[in-house]
Amino acid sequence: MSAGTQRYPQELKARAVQMVIDARGGEETEWATIRRVADLLGIGSAESVRKWLHRAEINSGERAGVGDVESETVRKLRRENAELKRANAILKAASAFFAAELDRPHQ
C-alpha cells in the first residue's frame, strides 16, 4: 500500500474515536485533542481521526448526515438499478428483433 492509501484497523479507529470523546470538555480545543490522540496512537494524519470521529457521530445520530448503513443501502440500490437498466435494454433489443421477424413476409 502506498502512504496515501494506508488503512488502519477498525479497532484502532474505534479506540481513537473513544479517546477523543473521553477527552472532550477538557481545556484544549477539539482539534488539539484530535491531534494529541493521533500523535499518541501513531496515526499519520489528525484529519483521519477527525473524519473517523465525524463518521461515528453521524452513525450514532449526534451529527446530521448519511450513516454507513444508509450509504451501503444506496450503493446496493444503485448497483441493482444499473443491472435492471442493462436487462431492460437487452429485453427491448430482443423485442425489437422479434417484432421485425414477425413483420417480415415468410415464404
Side-chain angles (χ1 to χ4, degrees):
M1 283 183 268
S2 70
T5 60
Q6 183 176 9
R7 306 276 295 174
Y8 292 100
Q10 194 60 40
E11 297 80 26
L12 179 66
K13 292 177 182 181
R15 182 171 179 202
V17 167
Q18 192 58 52
M19 287 175 71
V20 172
I21 291 170
D22 291 345
R24 277 184 175 156
E27 305 243 341
E28 56 188 3
T29 65
E30 184 168 82
W31 180 244
T33 302
I34 289 170
R35 281 198 326 250
R36 185 171 48 81
V37 168
D39 288 343
L40 284 171
L41 296 178
I43 297 167
S45 169
E47 179 64 13
S48 294
V49 177
R50 186 191 68 79
K51 288 179 181 178
W52 301 338
L53 177 64
H54 286 189
R55 173 65 38 207
E57 290 171 341
I58 288 169
N59 287 336
S60 70
E62 294 174 44
R63 178 183 289 266
V66 178
D68 291 341
V69 173
E70 293 87 358
S71 291
E72 181 59 28
T73 301
V74 168
R75 274 193 294 279
K76 285 180 181 177
L77 289 172
R78 284 184 177 152
R79 266 183 263 140
E80 184 180 336
N81 192 31
E83 185 178 322
L84 290 171
K85 284 181 178 182
R86 283 189 297 274
N88 197 27
I90 291 168
L91 290 172
K92 282 182 180 179
S95 170
F97 172 79
F98 288 119
E101 283 294 309
L102 289 175
D103 288 343
R104 283 194 197 136
H106 296 316
Q107 298 174 4

